[in-house]
Amino acid sequence: RFDRQIYVDLPDLSERIAVFKVHLKPLKLQPGLDIDFLARQTPGFSGADIANVCNEAALIAARHDRESVTKQDFLDAVDRIIGGLEKKTRVMTQEEKYAIAIHEAGHASVSWLLEHANPLVKVTIVPRGQSLGAAWYLPEERSISTKEQMLDEICATLAGRAAEELFLGRISSGALNDLERVTQRAYGMVAYLGMSESLPNLSYYSNQESFQKPYSEDTARSIDAEVRNLINEQYARAKRILSEHAAQHNALADLLCEHEVIFAADVEHIFGARPWKSRADILLEEQAPAELPISSETSPSAPE
């Protein structure tokens, strides 16, 4: 009999690199593909998910009659698995298309200008699944998160709605998912992590199956007020950053309307290089001398 529990966690960055190397062996790959980038692009993926990405990338390459599986094939595979199929047949007016571009350019601009926001990969206004547009990032897989990091993420998430209000003079329903995420994160910071001004160092978390809240009605009102203040401050911060960089944001939105998909290189051309290294880059540099060679000669790697 089993008298102990065995917990198998999802693979971390270095483990995903190793898993990718296993599943890439049967594939004919484009020379110079970056396995490290692939692993960074798939946080939270299990071994089965990574195998699915490799199989899907091979199918996409075959559909395009390519002689080898390219970086773009892997990117398309990840996008399809995470976001669903592209819906290029969905009809939109130019006004709707521009509004979506303004929203997504807001996310991209503010995340590029904040130190702790996740590094941008690409932005698209091509509908995919239930989404009309999306900004794709390389999530930073942190063991712990600081208050500053969480605030930067909330600010970048609110930047789409802020850009709509600032540059279009109106807001839309396109920010629903953003608002759900920031509200959940803000309540977590205030009620569970003790990261508020009026309720510091207190965690109102209870793992007991009870219908009774572990705090009073007065405390509940204080939590609600703190969450509102936190979100309002970050929303104002996003508007301020966008106002200071309005010309660059609008250039990004125009480029997005023209090409529908833009990449980190396009954002860098408009805003300049980010002065901060990502956590994944730092980890790879530290592990490289040991057993994680950054470029593998045994198997050419993959995508954006």
Side-chain angles (χ1 to χ4, degrees), residues 11-18 36 39-40 141 280 283-284 287:
D12 61 18
L13 178 62
S14 60
E15 291 165 347
R16 290 198 303 276
I17 292 174
D36 298 343
R40 292 168 57 192
E141 298 175 81
L283 286 175
L284 287 174
Q287 294 174 0

Side-chain angles (χ1 to χ4, degrees), residues 174-207:
L176 173 60
N177 181 252
D178 300 333
L179 299 179
E180 289 174 344
R181 288 162 54 202
V182 299
T183 303
Q184 184 179 23
R185 173 56 65 90
Y187 267 103
M189 291 176 67
V190 173
Y192 295 160
L193 300 176
M195 292 182 174
S196 68
E197 298 297 327
S198 64
L199 299 168
N201 306 322
L202 293 170
S203 179
Y204 296 103
Y205 173 77
S206 174
N207 60 2

Side-chain angles (χ1 to χ4, degrees), residues 1 44 58 159 161 203 211 226:
R1 69 187 180 93
R161 164 66 64 90
S203 179
F211 293 104
E226 282 290 317

Side-chain angles (χ1 to χ4, degrees), residues 26-40:
L27 303 182
K28 183 178 180 183
L29 302 174
Q30 179 187 41
L33 287 176
D34 185 3
I35 297 178
D36 298 343
F37 182 87
L38 274 180
R40 292 168 57 192

Side-chain angles (χ1 to χ4, degrees), residues 206-232:
S206 174
N207 60 2
Q208 304 296 321
E209 293 185 5
S210 170
F211 293 104
Q212 188 173 3
K213 294 180 180 178
Y215 46 80
S216 68
E217 289 301 319
D218 286 342
T219 300
R221 282 190 285 271
S222 297
I223 291 173
D224 291 341
E226 282 290 317
V227 169
R228 278 196 302 273
N229 291 338
L230 188 154
I231 291 176
N232 289 340

Side-chain angles (χ1 to χ4, degrees), residues 7-193:
Y7 181 71
V8 181
D9 202 356
L10 292 171
D12 61 18
L13 178 62
S14 60
E15 291 165 347
R16 290 198 303 276
I17 292 174
V19 174
F20 263 111
K21 288 179 179 178
V22 171
H23 292 294
L24 291 176
K25 283 181 181 178
L27 303 182
K28 183 178 180 183
L29 302 174
Q30 179 187 41
L33 287 176
D34 185 3
I35 297 178
D36 298 343
F37 182 87
L38 274 180
R40 292 168 57 192
Q41 184 71 5
T42 51
F45 278 44
S46 65
D49 294 329
I50 291 173
N52 193 14
V53 168
C54 295
N55 292 335
E56 188 66 39
L59 289 172
I60 292 171
R63 290 190 197 107
H64 291 86
D65 296 322
R66 292 196 239 276
E67 295 183 357
S68 60
V69 188
T70 67
K71 177 180 180 180
Q72 188 59 48
D73 296 327
F74 282 101
L75 283 176
D76 293 342
V78 172
D79 291 353
R80 179 169 179 173
I81 289 169
I82 294 176
L85 290 170
E86 285 188 352
K87 296 183 178 178
K88 292 188 176 182
T89 55
R90 181 175 290 177
V91 178
M92 288 190 294
T93 66
Q94 283 300 118
E95 183 181 4
E96 290 170 336
K97 186 176 179 180
Y98 182 66
I100 296 168
I102 287 289
H103 181 104
E104 298 302 337
H107 288 307
S109 300
V110 173
S111 66
W112 192 266
L113 296 165
L114 293 177
E115 178 178 0
H116 301 298
N118 291 323
L120 183 73
V121 175
K122 72 175 184 180
V123 188
T124 176
I125 58 171
V126 177
R128 185 184 288 275
Q130 298 298 314
S131 173
L132 296 177
W136 301 81
Y137 302 91
L138 288 177
E140 301 280 27
E141 298 175 81
R142 305 182 181 106
S143 300
I144 58 172
S145 294
T146 65
K147 182 178 179 180
E148 290 72 25
Q149 290 165 345
M150 293 182 186
L151 292 177
D152 278 4
E153 290 171 5
I154 289 174
C155 183
T157 306
L158 289 169
R161 164 66 64 90
E164 290 180 14
E165 182 181 347
L166 203 59
F167 300 114
L168 298 176
R170 60 182 184 274
I171 58 177
S172 74
S173 60
L176 173 60
N177 181 252
D178 300 333
L179 299 179
E180 289 174 344
R181 288 162 54 202
V182 299
T183 303
Q184 184 179 23
R185 173 56 65 90
Y187 267 103
M189 291 176 67
V190 173
Y192 295 160
L193 300 176

